Amino acid sequence: MSAASIRHRWGEKVRANDGRSSRKICERCEMICVSRHETDGRGFAQHWKEWWRGTDLIQRAGLTPLCEPVEVMGGVSDG
């Protein structure tokens, strides 16, 4: 595995009270994976995933986006 292909480290899954979605957060890059479970007007089950960073939708459906760890600026001064 190369340094460019870091895997997500997902935290605990939290389910919505209505059972229509669940979410988990990557501990490395803070990406949020929302798994949606709904039924269309004909009664067919639909399932898809969305990936978010904060309030920005990164991607809907498809393959999981790459993990890009967040860099934390340290409070250490040079002098």
Side-chain angles (χ1 to χ4, degrees), residues 54-68:
T55 58
D56 297 325
L57 176 62
I58 304 299
Q59 181 176 312
R60 181 173 283 134
L63 298 176
T64 304
L66 295 176
C67 182
E68 299 171 355

Side-chain angles (χ1 to χ4, degrees), residues 37-74:
H37 313 272
E38 297 184 7
T39 306
D40 68 11
R42 299 170 297 168
F44 291 103
Q46 294 184 333
H47 174 255
W48 72 94
K49 290 187 179 182
E50 300 172 345
W51 290 272
W52 298 77
R53 276 215 177 82
T55 58
D56 297 325
L57 176 62
I58 304 299
Q59 181 176 312
R60 181 173 283 134
L63 298 176
T64 304
L66 295 176
C67 182
E68 299 171 355
V70 176
E71 290 188 31
V72 178
M73 300 300 290

Side-chain angles (χ1 to χ4, degrees), residues 4-6 8-10 18 23-25 29 31-33 36 38 40-41 44 60 68 73 78:
S5 62
I6 296 173
H8 290 282
R9 182 183 294 162
W10 298 112
D18 64 5
R23 66 185 60 222
K24 55 189 177 181
I25 301 173
C29 70
M31 183 176 289
I32 303 166
C33 175
R36 302 211 180 259
E38 297 184 7
D40 68 11
F44 291 103
R60 181 173 283 134
E68 299 171 355
M73 300 300 290
D78 292 332

